[in-house]
Amino acid sequence: MKIALVGATGLVGGVMRKVLEERGFGDCELIPAASSRSVGKKVTFAGKMCNVVSVEEAIEQAPEYAIFSAGSGPSLQYAPLFAAKGTMVIDNSSAWRSDPSKPLVVPEINGDVVTPADHIIANPNCSTIQMVMALAPLHRRYRIRRIVVSTYQSVTGTGMKAVNQLEKERAGEPCERAYPHPIDMNLIPHGGTFEENGYTTEETKLLNETRKILRDSEIAVSATVVRVPVTGGHSESVNVEFYEDFDLQEVYDLLKAMPGVVVQDNPAENLYPMPLYAKDKDEVFVGRVRRDFSQPKTLNLWVVSDNLRKGAATNAVQIMEMLLKR
Ligand code: A2P
Protein backbone atom coordinates (compact mmCIF):
# COMPACT_ATOMS: atom_id res chain seq x y z
CA MET A 1 0.00 0.00 0.00
CA LYS A 2 1.21 3.50 -0.84
CA ILE A 3 0.72 6.34 1.64
CA ALA A 4 1.54 9.93 0.71
CA LEU A 5 2.47 12.21 3.57
CA VAL A 6 2.10 15.87 2.63
CA GLY A 7 4.07 17.98 5.09
CA ALA A 8 6.43 15.07 5.78
CA THR A 9 9.28 17.38 6.83
CA GLY A 10 7.23 19.26 9.45
CA LEU A 11 6.76 18.68 13.16
CA VAL A 12 3.48 16.77 12.77
CA GLY A 13 4.90 15.04 9.66
CA GLY A 14 7.75 13.63 11.78
CA VAL A 15 5.34 12.32 14.41
CA MET A 16 3.13 10.89 11.63
CA ARG A 17 6.08 8.84 10.36
CA LYS A 18 6.75 7.57 13.89
CA VAL A 19 3.08 6.73 14.53
CA LEU A 20 2.75 4.95 11.15
CA GLU A 21 5.79 2.81 12.02
CA GLU A 22 4.55 2.07 15.53
CA ARG A 23 1.10 1.04 14.30
CA GLY A 24 2.37 -1.48 11.77
CA PHE A 25 2.54 0.51 8.52
CA GLY A 26 6.35 0.22 8.24
CA ASP A 27 6.03 -2.11 5.22
CA CYS A 28 3.97 0.43 3.26
CA GLU A 29 5.54 2.58 0.60
CA LEU A 30 5.75 6.08 2.06
CA ILE A 31 5.69 8.98 -0.39
CA PRO A 32 6.94 11.97 1.62
CA ALA A 33 5.93 15.29 0.05
CA ALA A 34 6.63 18.85 1.12
CA SER A 35 7.18 22.30 -0.36
CA SER A 36 9.58 22.89 -3.25
CA ARG A 37 12.17 23.95 -0.63
CA SER A 38 12.45 20.35 0.55
CA VAL A 39 12.28 18.41 -2.71
CA GLY A 40 15.38 16.20 -2.91
CA LYS A 41 15.90 16.11 0.86
CA LYS A 42 15.51 12.81 2.66
CA VAL A 43 13.40 11.74 5.62
CA THR A 44 13.58 8.45 7.50
CA PHE A 45 10.74 5.96 7.64
CA ALA A 46 10.91 2.44 9.07
CA GLY A 47 14.70 2.51 9.03
CA LYS A 48 14.88 3.59 5.39
CA MET A 49 15.76 6.94 3.81
CA CYS A 50 13.00 8.24 1.55
CA ASN A 51 13.32 11.07 -0.97
CA VAL A 52 11.03 14.04 -0.44
CA VAL A 53 9.02 14.74 -3.59
CA SER A 54 6.75 17.54 -4.75
CA VAL A 55 3.03 17.22 -4.03
CA GLU A 56 2.38 16.99 -7.79
CA GLU A 57 4.66 13.95 -8.01
CA ALA A 58 2.92 12.33 -5.03
CA ILE A 59 -0.47 12.83 -6.76
CA GLU A 60 0.89 11.20 -9.92
CA GLN A 61 1.67 8.05 -7.94
CA ALA A 62 -2.05 7.72 -7.01
CA PRO A 63 -1.47 6.34 -3.49
CA GLU A 64 -4.33 4.62 -1.62
CA TYR A 65 -4.09 7.20 1.20
CA ALA A 66 -2.76 10.75 1.51
CA ILE A 67 -2.34 12.25 4.96
CA PHE A 68 -1.95 16.03 4.93
CA SER A 69 -0.27 18.16 7.55
CA ALA A 70 0.98 21.16 5.63
CA GLY A 71 -1.55 23.88 6.51
CA SER A 72 -4.80 24.91 4.84
CA GLY A 73 -3.41 26.34 1.60
CA PRO A 74 -1.82 23.13 0.29
CA SER A 75 -4.86 21.11 1.51
CA LEU A 76 -7.31 23.27 -0.42
CA GLN A 77 -5.11 23.14 -3.49
CA TYR A 78 -4.08 19.48 -3.56
CA ALA A 79 -6.60 17.36 -1.60
CA PRO A 80 -9.20 17.44 -4.43
CA LEU A 81 -6.49 16.43 -6.93
CA PHE A 82 -5.63 13.35 -4.85
CA ALA A 83 -9.35 12.58 -4.43
CA ALA A 84 -9.80 12.75 -8.20
CA LYS A 85 -7.19 9.97 -8.50
CA GLY A 86 -9.19 7.79 -6.09
CA THR A 87 -6.91 8.51 -3.11
CA MET A 88 -8.51 8.75 0.34
CA VAL A 89 -7.36 12.03 1.89
CA ILE A 90 -7.10 12.52 5.65
CA ASP A 91 -6.50 16.19 6.23
CA ASN A 92 -5.05 17.61 9.40
CA SER A 93 -5.57 21.27 8.48
CA SER A 94 -8.63 23.44 9.04
CA ALA A 95 -9.33 23.59 5.27
CA TRP A 96 -12.31 21.20 5.17
CA ARG A 97 -13.46 20.95 8.78
CA SER A 98 -16.41 23.30 8.55
CA ASP A 99 -17.49 22.07 5.09
CA PRO A 100 -20.83 20.31 5.71
CA SER A 101 -20.04 17.81 2.94
CA LYS A 102 -16.82 16.64 4.64
CA PRO A 103 -16.83 14.40 7.72
CA LEU A 104 -14.89 15.65 10.77
CA VAL A 105 -13.84 12.53 12.59
CA VAL A 106 -12.62 11.26 15.94
CA PRO A 107 -12.92 7.49 15.37
CA GLU A 108 -13.89 6.65 18.97
CA ILE A 109 -16.78 9.14 18.78
CA ASN A 110 -18.25 9.52 15.29
CA GLY A 111 -16.44 7.20 12.88
CA ASP A 112 -19.89 6.12 11.63
CA VAL A 113 -20.38 9.45 9.78
CA VAL A 114 -17.93 8.40 7.04
CA THR A 115 -19.66 7.00 3.95
CA PRO A 116 -18.11 5.14 0.98
CA ALA A 117 -18.63 8.30 -1.10
CA ASP A 118 -16.26 10.36 1.09
CA HIS A 119 -12.80 11.00 -0.29
CA ILE A 120 -11.66 13.84 1.96
CA ILE A 121 -11.93 13.37 5.72
CA ALA A 122 -11.05 16.18 8.09
CA ASN A 123 -9.01 15.58 11.24
CA PRO A 124 -10.19 17.99 13.95
CA ASN A 125 -8.13 20.65 15.69
CA CYS A 126 -5.87 19.29 18.44
CA SER A 127 -7.54 21.20 21.27
CA THR A 128 -10.99 20.05 20.13
CA ILE A 129 -10.00 16.36 19.86
CA GLN A 130 -8.83 16.05 23.46
CA MET A 131 -11.82 17.98 24.81
CA VAL A 132 -14.46 15.93 22.96
CA MET A 133 -12.70 12.67 23.87
CA ALA A 134 -13.37 13.51 27.53
CA LEU A 135 -16.83 14.99 26.95
CA ALA A 136 -18.39 12.57 24.43
CA PRO A 137 -19.34 9.85 26.94
CA LEU A 138 -20.72 12.50 29.32
CA HIS A 139 -22.67 14.18 26.52
CA ARG A 140 -24.28 10.86 25.58
CA ARG A 141 -25.47 10.37 29.17
CA TYR A 142 -26.31 13.89 30.46
CA ARG A 143 -26.35 16.08 27.30
CA ILE A 144 -24.12 19.15 27.37
CA ARG A 145 -25.73 22.59 27.55
CA ARG A 146 -22.63 24.80 27.79
CA ILE A 147 -18.85 24.51 27.96
CA VAL A 148 -16.44 27.13 29.28
CA VAL A 149 -12.92 26.11 28.29
CA SER A 150 -9.54 27.76 28.84
CA THR A 151 -6.60 26.15 27.07
CA TYR A 152 -2.91 26.06 27.92
CA GLN A 153 -1.47 25.12 24.54
CA SER A 154 1.98 23.75 23.77
CA VAL A 155 4.19 25.59 21.31
CA THR A 156 4.42 22.35 19.28
CA GLY A 157 0.93 23.20 17.98
CA THR A 158 2.43 26.10 16.02
CA GLY A 159 5.11 24.03 14.24
CA MET A 160 8.90 23.92 14.20
CA LYS A 161 9.43 27.67 14.08
CA ALA A 162 7.62 28.06 17.40
CA VAL A 163 9.58 25.27 19.13
CA ASN A 164 12.73 26.92 17.81
CA GLN A 165 11.62 30.29 19.23
CA LEU A 166 11.09 28.81 22.69
CA GLU A 167 14.41 26.93 22.65
CA LYS A 168 16.42 29.93 21.41
CA GLU A 169 14.82 32.32 23.91
CA ARG A 170 15.60 29.84 26.68
CA ALA A 171 19.23 29.66 25.52
CA GLY A 172 19.42 33.47 25.27
CA GLU A 173 20.08 33.34 21.53
CA PRO A 174 18.54 35.54 18.82
CA CYS A 175 15.84 33.89 16.68
CA GLU A 176 13.06 34.41 14.20
CA ARG A 177 9.77 34.70 16.09
CA ALA A 178 6.72 32.51 15.40
CA TYR A 179 4.67 34.60 17.86
CA PRO A 180 4.27 38.39 18.12
CA HIS A 181 5.81 38.26 21.65
CA PRO A 182 8.43 36.27 23.57
CA ILE A 183 6.99 32.90 24.64
CA ASP A 184 9.55 31.79 27.24
CA MET A 185 8.57 33.02 30.74
CA ASN A 186 5.34 34.25 29.18
CA LEU A 187 1.74 33.32 28.29
CA ILE A 188 0.18 34.55 25.06
CA PRO A 189 -3.64 34.75 25.03
CA HIS A 190 -3.72 34.50 21.27
CA GLY A 191 -4.04 31.32 19.17
CA GLY A 192 -4.51 31.63 15.42
CA THR A 193 -5.74 35.00 14.19
CA PHE A 194 -8.23 37.48 15.60
CA GLU A 195 -11.72 37.64 14.12
CA GLU A 196 -13.94 40.71 14.03
CA ASN A 197 -15.93 39.53 17.08
CA GLY A 198 -12.81 39.57 19.29
CA TYR A 199 -12.34 35.79 19.39
CA THR A 200 -9.43 34.00 17.74
CA THR A 201 -9.77 31.34 15.05
CA GLU A 202 -8.54 28.69 17.54
CA GLU A 203 -11.34 29.67 19.91
CA THR A 204 -13.99 29.52 17.20
CA LYS A 205 -12.77 26.05 16.17
CA LEU A 206 -13.53 24.80 19.69
CA LEU A 207 -17.16 25.88 19.22
CA ASN A 208 -17.83 24.76 15.64
CA GLU A 209 -15.89 21.50 15.72
CA THR A 210 -17.35 20.39 19.06
CA ARG A 211 -20.87 20.88 17.72
CA LYS A 212 -20.09 18.98 14.53
CA ILE A 213 -18.35 16.01 16.19
CA LEU A 214 -20.89 15.66 19.01
CA ARG A 215 -23.73 16.21 16.50
CA ASP A 216 -25.47 18.83 18.62
CA SER A 217 -25.72 22.33 17.14
CA GLU A 218 -27.14 23.75 20.38
CA ILE A 219 -24.05 23.23 22.54
CA ALA A 220 -22.77 26.62 23.71
CA VAL A 221 -18.98 27.00 23.96
CA SER A 222 -17.07 29.91 25.46
CA ALA A 223 -13.34 29.45 24.80
CA THR A 224 -10.11 31.24 25.70
CA VAL A 225 -6.97 29.93 24.02
CA VAL A 226 -3.61 30.60 25.64
CA ARG A 227 -0.17 29.61 24.33
CA VAL A 228 2.18 28.52 27.12
CA PRO A 229 5.95 27.83 27.14
CA VAL A 230 5.46 24.05 27.18
CA THR A 231 6.25 21.36 24.59
CA GLY A 232 4.64 18.17 25.93
CA GLY A 233 1.00 18.74 25.08
CA HIS A 234 -2.08 20.88 25.47
CA SER A 235 -3.92 21.25 28.79
CA GLU A 236 -7.49 22.43 29.20
CA SER A 237 -9.59 23.61 32.10
CA VAL A 238 -13.11 22.54 31.12
CA ASN A 239 -16.26 23.67 32.91
CA VAL A 240 -19.27 21.84 31.54
CA GLU A 241 -22.96 22.33 32.31
CA PHE A 242 -25.38 19.50 31.48
CA TYR A 243 -29.14 19.31 30.99
CA GLU A 244 -29.32 16.26 33.31
CA ASP A 245 -27.71 16.09 36.73
CA PHE A 246 -24.87 13.62 37.18
CA ASP A 247 -23.52 11.32 39.81
CA LEU A 248 -19.77 11.88 40.28
CA GLN A 249 -18.99 8.16 40.58
CA GLU A 250 -20.88 7.52 37.36
CA VAL A 251 -18.88 10.32 35.69
CA TYR A 252 -15.66 8.50 36.65
CA ASP A 253 -17.09 5.21 35.37
CA LEU A 254 -18.07 6.77 32.03
CA LEU A 255 -14.64 8.39 31.62
CA LYS A 256 -12.83 5.14 32.50
CA ALA A 257 -14.94 3.21 29.99
CA MET A 258 -14.12 5.62 27.15
CA PRO A 259 -11.47 4.06 24.85
CA GLY A 260 -8.40 6.32 24.63
CA VAL A 261 -9.17 8.18 27.88
CA VAL A 262 -7.14 7.62 31.05
CA VAL A 263 -8.36 9.01 34.37
CA GLN A 264 -5.54 10.34 36.55
CA ASP A 265 -7.24 11.73 39.60
CA ASN A 266 -6.00 11.20 43.12
CA PRO A 267 -5.47 14.45 45.03
CA ALA A 268 -4.12 12.55 48.06
CA GLU A 269 -1.15 11.47 45.94
CA ASN A 270 -0.87 14.69 43.90
CA LEU A 271 -2.04 12.71 40.88
CA TYR A 272 -3.43 14.79 38.02
CA PRO A 273 -2.56 15.01 34.32
CA MET A 274 0.39 17.17 33.27
CA PRO A 275 1.82 17.87 29.80
CA LEU A 276 5.34 16.79 30.79
CA TYR A 277 4.05 13.23 31.26
CA ALA A 278 1.55 13.24 28.37
CA LYS A 279 4.34 13.76 25.84
CA ASP A 280 4.68 10.93 23.28
CA LYS A 281 1.55 9.20 24.60
CA ASP A 282 -1.57 8.53 22.56
CA GLU A 283 -4.08 8.83 25.38
CA VAL A 284 -6.15 11.75 26.63
CA PHE A 285 -5.59 12.18 30.37
CA VAL A 286 -8.39 13.50 32.57
CA GLY A 287 -8.19 14.59 36.21
CA ARG A 288 -9.34 17.18 38.78
CA VAL A 289 -12.86 15.86 38.19
CA ARG A 290 -15.15 17.76 40.56
CA ARG A 291 -18.59 19.23 40.86
CA ASP A 292 -18.89 22.97 40.28
CA PHE A 293 -20.72 24.08 43.41
CA SER A 294 -21.43 27.54 41.97
CA GLN A 295 -24.27 26.28 39.80
CA PRO A 296 -26.33 23.07 39.36
CA LYS A 297 -25.50 20.19 36.97
CA THR A 298 -22.00 21.54 36.29
CA LEU A 299 -18.67 19.73 36.32
CA ASN A 300 -15.01 20.79 36.23
CA LEU A 301 -12.33 18.74 34.47
CA TRP A 302 -8.65 19.09 33.61
CA VAL A 303 -7.79 17.47 30.27
CA VAL A 304 -4.24 16.93 28.96
CA SER A 305 -2.96 15.24 25.79
CA ASP A 306 0.02 15.32 23.44
CA ASN A 307 -1.34 17.55 20.67
CA LEU A 308 1.05 16.05 18.11
CA ARG A 309 -0.20 12.50 18.89
CA LYS A 310 -3.95 12.11 19.59
CA GLY A 311 -4.41 15.76 18.64
CA ALA A 312 -2.94 15.18 15.17
CA ALA A 313 -0.92 12.16 13.98
CA THR A 314 -2.52 9.37 16.01
CA ASN A 315 -6.07 10.47 15.23
CA ALA A 316 -5.24 10.70 11.50
CA VAL A 317 -3.69 7.21 11.46
CA GLN A 318 -6.66 5.85 13.47
CA ILE A 319 -8.97 7.25 10.76
CA MET A 320 -6.94 5.36 8.14
CA GLU A 321 -7.09 2.17 10.24
CA MET A 322 -10.86 2.56 10.58
CA LEU A 323 -11.23 2.87 6.79
CA LEU A 324 -8.97 -0.14 6.20
CA LYS A 325 -11.08 -2.27 8.53
CA ARG A 326 -14.22 -1.55 6.49
P1 A2P B 1 8.80 22.42 4.04
O1 A2P B 1 9.60 21.75 5.12
O2 A2P B 1 9.32 22.13 2.69
O3 A2P B 1 8.55 23.88 4.30
P2 A2P B 1 5.58 22.79 10.36
O4 A2P B 1 4.14 22.92 10.75
O5 A2P B 1 6.37 22.01 11.34
O6 A2P B 1 6.20 24.13 10.07
O7 A2P B 1 5.59 21.95 8.97
C1 A2P B 1 4.86 22.32 7.85
C2 A2P B 1 4.99 21.26 6.77
O8 A2P B 1 4.20 21.65 5.64
C3 A2P B 1 6.40 21.10 6.25
O9 A2P B 1 6.62 19.74 5.87
C4 A2P B 1 6.39 22.00 5.02
O10 A2P B 1 7.36 21.68 4.05
C5 A2P B 1 5.02 21.69 4.48
N1 A2P B 1 4.56 22.72 3.54
C6 A2P B 1 4.45 24.05 3.76
N2 A2P B 1 3.99 24.68 2.66
C7 A2P B 1 3.77 23.73 1.72
C8 A2P B 1 3.31 23.74 0.36
N3 A2P B 1 2.95 24.86 -0.24
N4 A2P B 1 3.25 22.56 -0.30
C9 A2P B 1 3.62 21.41 0.31
N5 A2P B 1 4.07 21.33 1.59
C10 A2P B 1 4.15 22.48 2.28
Side-chain angles (χ1 to χ4, degrees), residues 7-11 34-35 37-38 55 69-70 74 159-160:
T9 53
L11 210 48
S35 79
R37 293 179 292 273
S38 301
V55 188
S69 198
M160 272 180 185

Side-chain angles (χ1 to χ4, degrees), residues 162-192:
V163 176
N164 190 49
Q165 178 180 342
L166 174 62
E167 286 172 353
K168 294 279 187 202
E169 284 175 359
R170 215 157 259 187
E173 293 170 18
C175 65
E176 206 188 330
R177 273 187 183 167
Y179 302 114
H181 300 282
I183 182 66
D184 191 28
M185 306 291 282
N186 200 12
L187 303 175
I188 306 178
H190 174 183

Side-chain angles (χ1 to χ4, degrees), residues 6-301:
V6 181
T9 53
L11 210 48
V12 176
V15 180
M16 290 277 188
R17 284 183 270 129
K18 206 156 113 188
V19 170
L20 282 167
E21 272 181 53
E22 283 174 11
R23 298 180 80 100
F25 294 97
D27 290 338
C28 294
E29 184 184 337
L30 188 83
I31 308 169
S35 79
S36 52
R37 293 179 292 273
S38 301
V39 172
K41 286 187 187 165
K42 288 183 192 306
V43 294
T44 53
F45 178 64
K48 295 176 289 242
M49 301 297 278
C50 307
N51 284 322
V52 176
V53 299
S54 67
V55 188
E56 288 84 358
E57 197 179 326
I59 295 166
E60 275 309 300
Q61 295 195 41
E64 280 86 345
Y65 289 90
I67 306 179
F68 273 66
S69 198
S72 293
S75 293
L76 285 170
Q77 186 180 353
Y78 297 115
L81 303 180
F82 272 108
K85 288 258 180 192
T87 300
M88 276 301 292
V89 175
I90 300 162
D91 180 39
N92 199 40
S93 81
S94 59
W96 307 100
R97 290 179 192 150
S98 56
D99 182 333
S101 72
K102 305 284 181 293
L104 180 67
V105 175
V106 179
E108 296 92 335
I109 300 173
N110 67 338
D112 57 299
V113 296
V114 181
T115 71
D118 289 314
H119 272 86
I120 300 176
I121 298 174
N123 201 51
N125 183 249
C126 41
S127 43
T128 308
I129 293 180
Q130 67 183 72
M131 187 173 81
V132 294
M133 281 287 289
L135 294 183
L138 307 180
H139 180 58
R140 280 196 284 268
R141 176 72 178 83
Y142 312 114
R143 193 179 169 204
I144 295 169
R145 182 195 292 273
R146 178 173 185 250
I147 300 164
V148 181
V149 54
S150 301
T151 72
Y152 304 66
Q153 294 188 204
S154 157
V155 295
T156 55
T158 323
M160 272 180 185
K161 195 173 162 189
V163 176
N164 190 49
Q165 178 180 342
L166 174 62
E167 286 172 353
K168 294 279 187 202
E169 284 175 359
R170 215 157 259 187
E173 293 170 18
C175 65
E176 206 188 330
R177 273 187 183 167
Y179 302 114
H181 300 282
I183 182 66
D184 191 28
M185 306 291 282
N186 200 12
L187 303 175
I188 306 178
H190 174 183
T193 54
F194 279 100
E195 297 174 337
E196 265 179 22
N197 63 8
Y199 285 84
T200 65
T201 46
E202 289 280 304
E203 289 162 351
T204 303
K205 286 174 194 172
L206 276 157
L207 166 66
N208 295 337
E209 297 182 19
T210 298
R211 285 179 169 176
K212 187 166 172 177
I213 297 162
L214 297 183
R215 288 178 268 206
D216 188 334
S217 59
E218 286 174 29
I219 295 177
V221 179
S222 181
T224 302
V225 162
V226 183
R227 195 68 62 181
V228 299
V230 158
T231 56
H234 291 353
S235 306
E236 296 175 342
S237 162
V238 183
N239 179 267
V240 53
E241 182 189 356
F242 299 101
Y243 285 92
E244 302 295 325
D245 202 6
F246 56 84
D247 169 72
L248 205 54
Q249 188 52 52
E250 191 184 49
V251 166
Y252 279 114
D253 294 343
L254 290 166
L255 289 169
K256 284 181 187 159
M258 176 69 184
V261 167
V262 173
V263 176
Q264 289 184 330
D265 198 5
N266 187 352
E269 291 183 13
N270 301 327
L271 181 67
Y272 29 72
M274 286 179 277
L276 190 63
Y277 307 116
K279 189 173 163 49
D280 293 329
K281 307 241 166 60
D282 286 318
E283 294 87 357
V284 172
F285 300 93
V286 182
R288 303 296 323 278
V289 181
R290 63 218 192 273
R291 186 175 282 279
D292 178 351
F293 295 113
S294 73
Q295 66 172 14
K297 304 175 189 172
T298 306
L299 184 75
N300 279 309
L301 306 164

